[in-house]
Amino acid sequence: MLSSASFAADVEQATLGQVLAEIKSLNEKVSALEARLAKYEEVSEVPNVVSQAAVAYAASNPPPKGDKNKWYENLRIELRKAEVRASGDWVNPDAWDKLALKMKPEEVVAILGEPMDKKFSIRKDTDEILIYRGDLDGQGNTVKGEVRIYKGKVNKILVPDF
């Protein structure tokens, strides 16, 4: 009987030791996860430009009491400003002046940057069209420029209306 009592104590002791080891292991995992989470929270602390623009617009322009459609339309424009604002070398009119007929498409991309779209044409004098478009001033008005390629060379340049 004494031996069975000591065996039960050993099982309880082993179980208690295992539980303590498991708790220690879980505490270490929780600490590691908290450290990783803290790094991500630091990164996510970067302010969101779009939401800041919307908050600033809404704060400085409270909605009118009557027709709110114009106010909501202006808010939508503010939200789109940060998303669609044109960027890159193509927004500079001087860059378009550097383009010339018979240039290779790679040279055009080196000067203007990557186009927003590329599409193939069904016209006989155009194989491919490089399209540059965006909102230059953030007012919701999109400008568009095209460079038309025929047989691997620039055939036509349609400069955006700056």
Side-chain angles (χ1 to χ4, degrees):
M1 181 94 168
L2 191 56
S3 65
S4 67
S6 82
F7 177 73
D10 288 341
V11 170
E12 286 179 19
Q13 193 67 348
T15 306
L16 182 60
Q18 290 173 345
V19 169
L20 290 175
E22 185 69 24
I23 289 173
K24 182 178 178 185
S25 171
L26 289 173
N27 282 337
E28 290 172 357
K29 288 180 182 179
V30 167
S31 296
L33 288 172
E34 286 175 342
R36 286 177 55 195
L37 180 62
K39 287 180 186 176
Y40 288 113
E41 286 176 344
E42 288 173 10
V43 171
S44 68
E45 293 294 324
V46 175
N48 185 352
V49 176
V50 174
S51 64
Q52 280 187 346
V55 169
Y57 180 82
S60 63
N61 298 301
K65 301 249 188 259
D67 183 26
K68 295 182 182 181
N69 288 337
K70 184 65 177 169
W71 184 83
Y72 285 120
E73 180 59 31
N74 289 338
L75 181 60
R76 280 195 273 297
I77 290 171
E78 288 295 320
L79 289 171
R80 278 185 277 165
K81 278 184 184 179
E83 292 175 4
V84 298
R85 183 174 295 270
S87 63
D89 293 334
W90 77 270
V91 300
N92 185 357
D94 296 334
W96 288 86
D97 293 338
K98 295 177 186 176
L99 298 182
L101 297 177
K102 306 211 182 211
M103 285 180 118
K104 293 182 179 179
E106 297 84 21
E107 295 172 310
V108 172
V109 171
I111 294 171
L112 298 178
E114 286 293 325
M116 305 319 155
D117 292 317
K118 291 182 183 180
K119 70 178 188 179
F120 294 100
S121 176
I122 59 171
R123 295 176 52 142
K124 291 183 179 181
D125 66 340
T126 305
D127 294 332
E128 183 180 23
I129 303 171
L130 306 179
I131 301 171
Y132 295 87
R133 97 173 126 244
D135 186 357
L136 296 180
D137 54 3
Q139 297 299 319
N141 301 322
T142 303
V143 296
K144 178 180 173 183
E146 293 182 357
V147 179
R148 296 184 180 198
I149 309 296
Y150 179 63
K151 293 186 179 179
K153 305 272 185 191
V154 173
N155 187 36
K156 190 171 186 178
I157 301 168
L158 300 171
V159 179
D161 186 20
F162 293 106

